[in-house]
């Protein structure tokens, strides 16, 4: 049964502005999300044009998947599966990390237009649940079980929009395009614990690099990847 | 009755997600249904003619829009039911708004055919919902150059979409092309536009809703040419003229942290087939021009915007047709940006009647409107 929680978040630490340590251009048009696969030490980058690229740690392209979707907005890796949200297709598509072929698809039924689907997607390794998000109007997090059955929805009233999600060292991280910020969120209470801001246009994807404190932010409009140190988070 | 109304409002606000747009997808096919409803109230003062005292309610928009996508194909059908039922041919408020299909065969190449907004003038391409004003400036509101037309347009976007080049050919009859006939000489209108934005793509609005963090610039230049065989009337209507007509226009925009500055200049030359309007002059053509400059600021924390615009037009250097006006706007968004309330005040500074039988009917206008984007 769907449960809707209305939370009024508070920030426990003062927010701060951080600068990227490096940036590079990415060879994918309108990149919309990125995730890191610790097992293979590779990145997966998806785009609004429905493409998936696999990159090594230095962000060199290793492979472009043959499958072409319509509007990929989010990506995460769990075990040997790559989960990709096709926003306008209203689907989550699971690919094998080994064969790169489709293993299964999940239909996401939601009221709303074609750009009102799953914009962010990550996996809560503590609870063994997926967390998805709607970008805005309203800004909502959704917990799913492993078969993408909805468990509950959480309205995130203190965040302007959600463009990407990632899970790192037991915390949920929420990227906002309009605020150009990354917020550390308690994955149980969904309280915002801290937020950092940066001067990046159109940040659409975020991932941490393995066990390090560095994270990458993908800019859709600028077609660039920025590297940050997670100081203060 | 009051309790029922309050209950409806509470229900509406609580479950507004139910009222948002609808999307359906299956096996790569997708269909989206959206809409826009608008009601306005206008109050104008009288100038000279007591019969022209006007205040009125207007069901300005009752739009339904269908968009279908499958791989490289995109189709859009959009109509304003309110204007359809009234047989309205006001270019800013027309019945059939879009009926086109588009192919994206390779890379950033887009080929569009059907009835759609002509890729000329940035203002023409900004929707009413994305502007603080109900009406465009006099030069851009569809009386001098066509806003929509049947035609074919080819677009190619370079450098992450920062640079766009459009070339197209149209009937040249603007909204009257909906009647399905061309003029006597069956010639077409040719339109080209180049626009550039930096450092990111132009969002195509007259606001800076997202408080752009780095200064954003846009520049555009466009030209259109036609040679029609339509009859020019006594009150020289410039939208479709009998003769040659060439327009060229330039637009620029600046957006930064809530501030949006935009402006356009358009110049045109008409060489009419019938020269009665030019009798006594040594040239067989006349020139006209128009421009506007506007500024808006969006207060993001309280969802409130304010804007002001000055616009001027001179339709003919030999005869009447000069005018300038200033328009101020204030408005706000509600319900996750699905609802907008807008108030405009327009003061006509100068105006010349083209037709002496129809002098200017008002000098000051107030208009308030409520939009709901479905």
């Amino acid at each position: 049964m769907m449960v809707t929680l209305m939370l009024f978040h508070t920030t426990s630490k003062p927010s701060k502005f951080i600068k990227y340590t490096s940036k590079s251009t990415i060879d994918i048009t309108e990149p919309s999300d990125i995730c890191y696969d610790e097992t293979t030490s590779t990145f997966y980058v998806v785009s609004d044009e429905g493409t998936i690229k696999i990159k090594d740690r230095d962000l060199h392209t290793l492979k472009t998947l043959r499958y072409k979707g319509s509007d990929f907005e989010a990506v995460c890796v769990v075990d040997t599966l790559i989960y990709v949200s096709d926003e306008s297709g209203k689907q989550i598509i699971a690919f094998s990390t080994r064969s790169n072929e489709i293993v299964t698809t999940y239909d996401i039924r939601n009221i709303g237009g074609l750009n009102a689907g799953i914009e962010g997607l990550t996996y809560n390794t503590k609870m063994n649940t997926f967390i998805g998000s709607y970008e805005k109007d309203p800004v909502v997090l959704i917990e799913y079980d492993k078969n993408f059955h909805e468990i509950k929805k959480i309205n995130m009233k203190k965040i302007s929009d959600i463009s990407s999600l990632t899970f790192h060292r037991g915390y949920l991280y929420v990227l906002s395009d309009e605020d150009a910020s990354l917020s550390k969120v308690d994955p149980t209470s969904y309280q915002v614990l801290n937020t950092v801001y940066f001067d990046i246009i159109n940040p659409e994807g975020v991932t941490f690099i393995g066990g390090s404190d560095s994270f990458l932010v993908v800019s859709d409009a600028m077609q660039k990847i920025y590297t940050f140190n997670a100081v203060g988070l | 009755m009051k309790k029922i109304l309050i209950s409806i409002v509470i229900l509406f606000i609580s479950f507004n997600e139910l009222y948002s747009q609808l999307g359906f997808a299956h096996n790569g096919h997708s269909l989206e249904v959206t809409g826009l409803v608008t009601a306005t109230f206008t109050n104008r003062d009288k100038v000279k003619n007591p019969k022209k005292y006007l205040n009125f309610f207007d069901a300005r928009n009752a739009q339904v829009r269908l968009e279908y996508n499958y791989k490289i194909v995109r189709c859009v059908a959009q109509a304003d039911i309110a204007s359809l039922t009234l047989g309205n041919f006001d270019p800013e408020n027309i019945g059939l708004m879009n009926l086109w299909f588009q192919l994206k065969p390779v890379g950033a190449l887009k080929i569009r055919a059907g009835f759609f907004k002509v890729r000329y003038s940035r203002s023409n391409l900004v929707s009413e919902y994305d502007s603080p004003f109900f009406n465009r400036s006099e030069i851009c509101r569809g009386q001098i150059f066509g806003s929509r037309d049947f035609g074919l347009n080819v677009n190619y976007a370079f450098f992450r979409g920062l640079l766009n080049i459009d070339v197209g050919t149209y009937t040249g009859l603007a909204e009257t092309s909906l009647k399905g006939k061309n003029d006597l000489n069956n010639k077409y209108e040719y339109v080209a536009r180049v626009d550039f934005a930096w450092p990111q793509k132009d969002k195509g609005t007259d606001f800076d809703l997202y408080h752009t963090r780095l200064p954003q610039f846009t520049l555009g230049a466009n030209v259109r040419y036609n040679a029609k065989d339509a009859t020019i009337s006594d009150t020289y209507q410039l939208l479709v003229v009998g003769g040659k007509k060439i327009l060229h226009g330039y637009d620029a925009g600046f957006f930064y942290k809530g501030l949006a500055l935009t402006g356009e200049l358009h110049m045109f030359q008409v060489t009419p087939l019938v020269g009665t309007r030019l009798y006594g002059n040594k040239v067989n053509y006349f020139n006209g021009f128009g421009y506007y400059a506007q500024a808006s600021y969006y207060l993001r924390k309280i969802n409130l915007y304010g804007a002001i615009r000055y616009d001027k037009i001179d339709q003919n250097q030999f005869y009447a047709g000069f005018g300038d006006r200033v328009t101020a706007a204030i408005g706000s968004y509600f319900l996750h940006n699905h609802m907008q309330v807008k108030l405009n005040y327009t003061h006509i500074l100068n105006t010349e009647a083209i037709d002496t039988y129809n002098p200017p009917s008002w000098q000051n206008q107030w208009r308030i409107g409520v939009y709901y984007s479905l």
Side-chain angles (χ1 to χ4, degrees):
Chain A
M1 186 179 161
M2 186 187 82
V3 180
T4 301
L5 298 179
M6 303 286 282
L7 296 175
F8 297 90
H9 306 284
T10 54
T11 304
S12 57
K13 284 186 189 176
S15 304
K16 61 184 287 187
F17 180 87
I18 59 172
K19 287 208 74 166
Y20 54 81
T21 55
S22 66
K23 67 175 176 179
S24 58
T25 302
I26 189 167
D27 60 342
I28 184 167
T29 309
E30 297 187 66
S32 50
D33 200 12
I34 185 169
C35 76
Y36 183 72
D37 182 358
E38 285 192 56
T39 313
T40 56
S41 298
T42 52
F43 292 102
Y44 296 93
V45 184
V46 294
S47 82
D48 291 349
E49 297 192 331
T51 54
I52 307 170
K53 287 202 175 193
I54 305 172
K55 292 180 170 287
D56 65 17
R57 270 191 77 116
D58 296 323
L59 296 169
H60 297 127
T61 299
L62 300 173
K63 187 176 182 180
T64 302
L65 268 60
R66 280 185 305 168
Y67 183 84
K68 187 141 184 347
S70 48
D71 179 17
F72 289 164
E73 286 292 343
V75 61
C76 73
V77 174
V78 183
D79 300 328
T80 58
L81 293 175
I82 312 160
Y83 292 87
V84 176
S85 165
D86 192 333
E87 188 182 30
S88 61
K90 296 194 178 248
Q91 278 188 326
I92 302 291
I93 306 169
F95 297 87
S96 163
T97 54
R98 293 179 186 129
S99 67
N100 297 154
E101 298 295 329
I102 292 178
V103 176
T104 186
T105 59
Y106 304 92
D107 287 337
I108 302 294
R109 301 286 175 209
N110 70 316
I111 293 171
L114 297 176
N115 63 351
I118 298 296
E119 181 79 15
L121 184 67
T122 192
Y123 188 73
N124 182 337
T125 49
K126 275 187 174 176
M127 306 290 288
N128 292 323
T129 53
F130 285 97
I131 306 171
S133 62
Y134 297 151
E135 186 176 16
K136 60 186 301 184
D137 303 335
V139 180
V140 167
L141 290 173
I142 313 116
E143 277 187 14
Y144 294 104
D145 68 14
K146 282 198 161 187
N147 293 312
F148 284 93
H149 296 130
E150 190 175 305
I151 300 168
K152 67 180 177 185
K153 275 184 180 171
I154 306 99
N155 280 339
M156 300 295 286
K157 292 205 161 186
K158 293 288 181 183
I159 294 178
S160 298
D161 68 300
I162 298 175
S163 57
S164 180
L165 300 172
T166 192
F167 204 84
H168 181 65
R169 291 181 176 167
Y171 290 97
L172 174 67
Y173 289 83
V174 177
L175 185 71
S176 167
D177 175 6
E178 291 177 20
D179 290 339
S181 66
L182 185 67
S183 297
K184 183 178 182 178
V185 173
D186 183 317
T188 309
S189 66
Y190 290 100
Q191 277 200 323
V192 175
L193 303 173
N194 196 7
T195 301
V196 289
Y197 295 85
F198 27 77
D199 255 347
I200 290 181
I201 292 175
N202 198 200
E204 279 283 307
V206 64
T207 189
F208 279 84
I209 309 172
S212 77
D213 281 331
S214 295
F215 66 90
L216 301 183
V217 173
V218 172
S219 163
D220 179 326
M222 304 303 286
Q223 212 176 303
K224 288 191 185 303
I225 291 184
Y226 301 84
T227 307
F228 291 88
N229 285 320
V231 179
L233 265 179
Chain B
M1 185 63 189
K2 192 178 172 185
K3 284 181 179 175
I4 293 170
L5 283 173
I6 291 170
S7 303
I8 289 170
V9 170
I10 291 171
L11 190 72
F12 183 73
I13 292 169
S14 306
F15 296 96
N16 67 77
E17 203 178 337
L18 295 173
Y19 290 79
S20 60
Q21 31 186 242
L22 293 171
F24 310 94
H26 184 67
N27 283 346
H29 300 263
S30 61
L31 177 68
E32 185 177 64
V33 184
T34 55
L36 182 72
V37 290
T38 313
T40 62
F41 173 73
T42 303
N43 187 76
R44 293 170 174 169
D45 66 2
K46 57 188 174 184
V47 177
K48 290 174 183 173
N49 188 340
K51 290 178 183 174
K52 295 287 184 178
Y53 184 92
L54 294 169
N55 60 64
F56 55 90
F57 290 95
D58 185 18
R60 188 173 172 82
N61 295 301
Q63 297 176 15
V64 179
R65 185 179 188 275
L66 302 174
E67 177 174 338
Y68 168 80
N69 284 282
Y70 180 66
K71 294 185 177 174
I72 64 165
V73 178
R74 185 179 174 205
C75 300
V76 169
Q78 183 178 12
D80 178 13
I81 300 164
S83 298
L84 274 180
T85 52
L86 296 169
N88 198 344
F89 270 79
D90 176 355
E92 284 197 304
N93 207 5
I94 195 166
L96 183 64
M97 301 175 72
N98 281 295
L99 187 64
W100 51 265
F101 71 91
Q102 179 174 283
L103 299 176
K104 198 178 173 190
V106 58
L109 177 69
K110 291 177 190 164
I111 302 166
R112 182 181 293 188
F115 182 75
F116 52 90
K117 276 191 175 179
V118 177
R119 296 280 301 173
Y120 180 91
S121 161
R122 184 182 188 276
S123 173
N124 182 44
L125 300 170
V126 174
S127 77
E128 185 184 327
Y129 197 75
D130 293 324
S131 170
F133 305 105
F134 289 103
N135 297 102
R136 295 184 178 86
S137 60
E138 287 301 294
I139 186 70
C140 295
R141 63 179 299 180
Q143 309 290 351
I144 307 296
F145 54 81
S147 175
R148 290 180 167 86
D149 203 345
F150 268 105
L152 176 77
N153 186 76
V154 178
N155 165 274
Y156 200 90
F158 300 87
F159 314 123
R160 298 183 275 117
L162 298 179
L163 176 67
N164 278 276
I165 295 177
D166 287 271
V167 289
T169 180
Y170 302 84
T171 70
L173 297 173
E175 287 74 19
T176 55
S177 63
L178 288 172
K179 291 176 180 173
K181 293 175 181 174
N182 205 344
D183 67 316
L184 294 175
N185 68 14
N186 293 299
K187 288 182 180 172
Y188 296 100
E189 180 170 33
Y190 302 98
V191 181
R193 175 174 170 81
V194 178
D195 56 60
F196 179 72
W198 182 264
Q200 61 177 319
K201 280 192 289 190
D202 186 2
K203 288 192 165 68
T205 73
D206 283 344
F207 295 115
D208 185 25
L209 290 181
Y210 305 121
H211 278 228
T212 306
R213 286 175 293 280
L214 297 175
Q216 163 87 6
F217 300 90
T218 65
L219 289 170
N222 22 225
V223 63
R224 56 199 294 173
Y225 168 81
N226 65 36
K228 308 300 286 181
D229 193 1
T231 306
I232 197 163
S233 64
D234 283 341
T235 55
Y236 51 84
Q237 63 108 333
L238 292 169
L239 183 58
V240 183
V241 299
K244 291 179 184 172
K245 180 172 141 189
I246 184 163
L247 291 104
H248 49 110
Y250 310 91
D251 51 79
F254 173 77
F255 306 84
Y256 186 53
K257 293 191 173 175
L259 176 69
L261 305 173
T262 50
E264 288 188 30
L265 166 68
H266 295 272
M267 291 173 279
F268 58 91
Q269 184 176 88
V270 174
T271 310
L273 288 172
V274 181
T276 50
R277 294 299 307 182
L278 295 164
Y279 185 75
N281 292 303
K282 291 178 180 176
V283 292
N284 64 343
Y285 61 85
F286 63 87
N287 295 322
F289 73 94
Y291 64 84
Y292 75 85
Q294 66 187 38
S296 74
Y297 187 75
Y298 182 66
L299 288 160
R300 200 172 158 199
K301 285 188 178 175
I302 53 172
N303 279 344
L304 185 73
Y305 62 78
I308 191 157
R309 178 178 72 201
Y310 171 77
D311 77 277
K312 184 173 184 175
I313 191 167
D314 190 350
Q315 301 182 44
N316 187 323
Q317 83 269 39
F318 299 125
Y319 296 97
F322 171 84
D324 62 346
R325 58 182 64 190
V326 62
T327 304
I330 189 167
S332 187
Y333 287 100
F334 305 94
L335 302 175
H336 308 296
N337 289 359
H338 284 296
M339 181 181 265
Q340 185 183 175
V341 174
K342 199 185 274 189
L343 175 68
N344 278 194
Y345 166 71
T346 300
H347 174 66
I348 296 176
L349 300 165
N350 297 285
T351 185
E352 290 176 332
I354 297 170
D355 178 355
T356 52
Y357 296 103
N358 290 294
S361 59
W362 57 274
Q363 187 166 24
N364 295 290
Q365 172 182 284
W366 289 95
R367 177 172 288 167
I368 186 165
V370 181
Y371 294 76
Y372 197 89
S373 169
L374 302 163

